[in-house]
Amino acid sequence: MSDTITSTMIKNNLPQHLFNSNNIGFCRVPGRVNLIGEHTDYNGFSVLPMTIKKEIFCAFSKRNDNEVHLFNEDLRFQPLSFLNGNEIIPSPTGSWDNYIKAGVVALNKKFKVKTFPGFNIYIKSTLPIATGLSSSSALVITASLVYLKVLGKKLGHDISRLELAELMAEGEHFVGTKGGGMDQTVILNGGKGRACKIDFFPIRTTLLPLFEDYVFVVCDSTIRAQKTGACLQRYNAGPRICSLVCTILQRYLQKELGDHFHIKRLGDLWSGDLCLNHQEILDYVEQIIPTGNLSLKEIAYLLDVSPQTVRESWLGDIEEPEKGFPLRARIQHVITEHRRVELSRDALLANDAYTFGKLMNESHQSCAQNYAISIPELDTLTQIARKYGAIGSRLTGAGFGGCTVSLVPKEKLDYFMENVEKQYYQRYLGLPYAQNMFIAETSDSASYIN
Ligand code: NG1
């Protein structure tokens, strides 16, 4: 399917009684590929994604009642409906109406909505699902754009793009994941021909130039990472463990520096009261967080609380691994990954593709070894990519499946594509041809269209 969808392309498929030419609106919302900076956003550390030309396209119309009706061209997503109102209850995890509900609930709260309007939505998309390209946040942002219009609110006037991103990042927790704000921010604030460095708390974005003689290529491992399904616990283990490490660090730093000292998230070490540099943070971590894995009991001892409190306050239902919780490895990843994002920004500004590629490779290794979010397919795919021309290759997104992103010199593009198809898709997976392997062309941020 072509990556560009126009309003005329879907007009004929719309249920005519719900969408007529008087009340119809359209918007398009891109996915994103994260170039570097994985599992850093919810810790308050930076990320470096870009918007891609794989997009959700949506037609919508306001209704005279408070019913919300959802249709999707993709038949895996059956028509659903719910009532807009004071209390909107989540459907079972994984149900696609939750992403629409997430946007509606957050905006109802923000604008203190009293009379709850209904609307119809029809979705058509070129964005692959559950591949780490942000199909879920793209749907939440779609819902937010639609519902803003239905409420008569203007993007950029009643709410800024950064405010909406922040609101939707929080709002998306409705679906059960505890992610950060990378996806919503780049989708609403990224730009054509640019990578988008994002810093958090408060959200700030910087658009950066891309390399002229290189392209980023996305390759789907074909292993699905269902973040609200089988991978939910594994995904949420990251934020939970990081918040636990943050508390341990705070306790020890308070002893040293005084009780007034607070860190809400790991990023506060770097940008908060203390303003430590990279080496100082690493030194503190080495001093405070034991190497190796820790049992629940050992963590409780460190914090001087009961194991039950550790569960209730931080770990929730995350199972205790047989070898214990790898606190040191997790924080090692987060801190070094943040540093890699900073260096990658410098490499983009200096047009230094080799350094950027090297940082991507180091990022993959840290994601695999320290954050444990890789799988054999992603490791194999990145190895093959490097062998056949990529100067950097890494998993992208939450991990546990999904896609890789590789930095490839334009002159080696054909050689790269042919060999990845042959070696990974055909030889390793036994498939007839490559799946979702494409050059990541950038796209404009989410917008309404005619
Ligand atoms: P994807 O790849 O879209 O599942 C998730 C989080 C991001 C970020 C990355 C890991 C959501 C909506 N997105 O992205 O915030 O934490 O994982 O870097 O939770």
Side-chain angles (χ1 to χ4, degrees), residues 10-158:
I10 66 163
K11 267 185 184 156
N12 295 340
N13 294 335
L14 297 173
Q16 290 305 318
H17 62 294
L18 298 177
F19 298 87
N20 61 59
S21 48
N22 296 330
N23 68 356
I24 196 164
F26 296 96
C27 61
R28 49 156 284 282
V29 177
R32 66 96 181 97
V33 60
N34 189 19
L35 305 179
I36 194 159
E38 228 59 86
H39 291 266
T40 43
D41 58 354
Y42 50 77
N43 288 304
F45 283 120
S46 48
V47 292
L48 186 47
M50 66 187 201
T51 42
I52 54 173
K53 225 173 155 189
K54 300 275 177 190
E55 305 183 316
I56 290 181
F57 182 87
C58 169
F60 59 91
S61 59
K62 191 173 174 177
R63 297 174 60 97
N64 296 324
D65 52 23
N66 68 337
E67 294 176 18
V68 179
H69 288 259
L70 315 176
F71 305 88
N72 202 314
E73 189 209 39
D74 185 336
L75 296 177
R76 285 173 296 174
F77 304 101
Q78 287 300 302
L80 290 173
S81 64
F82 63 91
L83 289 183
N84 190 6
N86 249 327
E87 203 185 349
I88 298 179
I89 294 162
S91 302
T93 38
S95 185
W96 77 282
D97 54 341
N98 278 341
Y99 299 92
I100 309 297
K101 288 179 176 179
V104 171
V105 168
L107 285 171
N108 277 342
K109 200 165 155 206
K110 159 88 186 162
F111 290 110
K112 299 186 176 63
V113 175
K114 298 258 167 11
T115 46
F116 301 93
F119 56 93
N120 307 303
I121 271 190
Y122 183 90
I123 301 284
K124 182 179 171 88
S125 173
T126 56
L127 183 57
I129 291 150
T131 55
L133 301 177
S134 216
S135 55
S136 47
S137 301
L139 197 49
V140 174
I141 298 297
T142 304
S144 75
L145 291 187
V146 169
Y147 195 46
L148 274 179
K149 260 274 158 68
V150 168
L151 287 174
K153 305 286 179 194
K154 240 182 160 176
L155 182 62
H157 182 259
D158 295 298

Side-chain angles (χ1 to χ4, degrees), residues 361-382:
N361 293 335
E362 288 170 9
S363 167
H364 182 81
Q365 193 168 346
S366 178
C367 283
Q369 285 176 1
N370 290 330
Y371 224 73
I373 54 168
S374 191
I375 54 169
E377 288 81 356
L378 290 168
D379 291 339
T380 305
L381 186 48
T382 51

Side-chain angles (χ1 to χ4, degrees), residues 342-368:
E342 297 291 315
L343 294 173
S344 300
R345 182 258 330 267
D346 295 348
L348 279 176
L349 290 171
N351 196 22
D352 179 358
Y354 271 90
T355 298
F356 197 99
K358 189 168 157 275
L359 291 162
M360 289 175 79
N361 293 335
E362 288 170 9
S363 167
H364 182 81
Q365 193 168 346
S366 178
C367 283

Side-chain angles (χ1 to χ4, degrees), residues 76-360:
R76 285 173 296 174
F77 304 101
Q78 287 300 302
L80 290 173
S81 64
F82 63 91
L83 289 183
N84 190 6
N86 249 327
E87 203 185 349
I88 298 179
I89 294 162
S91 302
T93 38
S95 185
W96 77 282
D97 54 341
N98 278 341
Y99 299 92
I100 309 297
K101 288 179 176 179
V104 171
V105 168
L107 285 171
N108 277 342
K109 200 165 155 206
K110 159 88 186 162
F111 290 110
K112 299 186 176 63
V113 175
K114 298 258 167 11
T115 46
F116 301 93
F119 56 93
N120 307 303
I121 271 190
Y122 183 90
I123 301 284
K124 182 179 171 88
S125 173
T126 56
L127 183 57
I129 291 150
T131 55
L133 301 177
S134 216
S135 55
S136 47
S137 301
L139 197 49
V140 174
I141 298 297
T142 304
S144 75
L145 291 187
V146 169
Y147 195 46
L148 274 179
K149 260 274 158 68
V150 168
L151 287 174
K153 305 286 179 194
K154 240 182 160 176
L155 182 62
H157 182 259
D158 295 298
I159 188 165
S160 75
R161 282 177 176 263
L162 284 181
E163 280 172 323
L164 186 62
E166 202 152 26
L167 187 70
M168 288 305 132
E170 187 65 34
E172 196 168 328
H173 292 186
F174 181 89
V175 308
T177 48
K178 296 195 167 297
M182 158 167 59
D183 305 349
Q184 303 80 359
T185 308
V186 67
I187 289 171
L188 281 162
N189 300 279
K192 215 178 203 159
R194 293 279 186 262
C196 181
K197 178 166 183 279
I198 308 171
D199 294 281
F200 297 95
F201 308 106
I203 296 187
R204 285 145 289 153
T205 58
T206 315
L207 294 181
L208 295 162
L210 292 167
F211 302 115
E212 262 179 30
D213 300 329
Y214 295 80
V215 286
F216 288 103
V217 180
V218 171
C219 301
D220 185 357
S221 70
T222 77
I223 308 301
R224 291 290 158 260
Q226 295 292 357
K227 236 179 32 197
T228 50
C231 290
L232 180 64
Q233 232 212 21
R234 286 174 78 190
Y235 179 80
N236 283 344
R240 285 185 194 279
I241 289 183
C242 288
S243 131
L244 175 66
V245 173
C246 188
T247 310
I248 298 173
L249 284 170
Q250 167 162 290
R251 294 268 163 103
Y252 278 76
L253 288 170
Q254 278 180 340
K255 274 187 203 155
E256 197 168 301
L257 304 167
D259 282 348
H260 64 283
F261 175 75
H262 285 285
I263 46 171
K264 232 177 155 183
R265 51 189 77 82
L266 292 170
D268 292 346
L269 288 170
W270 171 71
S271 60
D273 293 349
L274 262 187
C275 243
L276 300 174
N277 67 31
H278 180 64
Q279 194 51 50
E280 287 167 335
I281 298 178
L282 285 177
D283 290 346
Y284 267 121
V285 166
E286 192 158 313
Q287 212 179 306
I288 299 167
I289 309 295
T291 47
N293 297 355
L294 298 182
S295 67
L296 188 60
K297 270 194 185 153
E298 286 169 321
I299 294 171
Y301 180 77
L302 261 185
L303 282 168
D304 201 14
V305 296
S306 69
Q308 197 188 338
T309 306
V310 176
R311 276 240 160 271
E312 282 166 6
S313 305
W314 292 281
L315 296 177
D317 56 355
I318 308 295
E319 276 166 34
E320 182 170 359
E322 224 170 84
K323 293 184 184 151
F325 294 98
L327 304 194
R328 178 69 169 272
R330 298 295 187 265
I331 185 167
Q332 188 77 17
H333 166 76
V334 171
I335 291 169
T336 57
E337 186 74 349
H338 168 67
R339 177 81 183 137
R340 283 186 285 273
V341 174
E342 297 291 315
L343 294 173
S344 300
R345 182 258 330 267
D346 295 348
L348 279 176
L349 290 171
N351 196 22
D352 179 358
Y354 271 90
T355 298
F356 197 99
K358 189 168 157 275
L359 291 162
M360 289 175 79

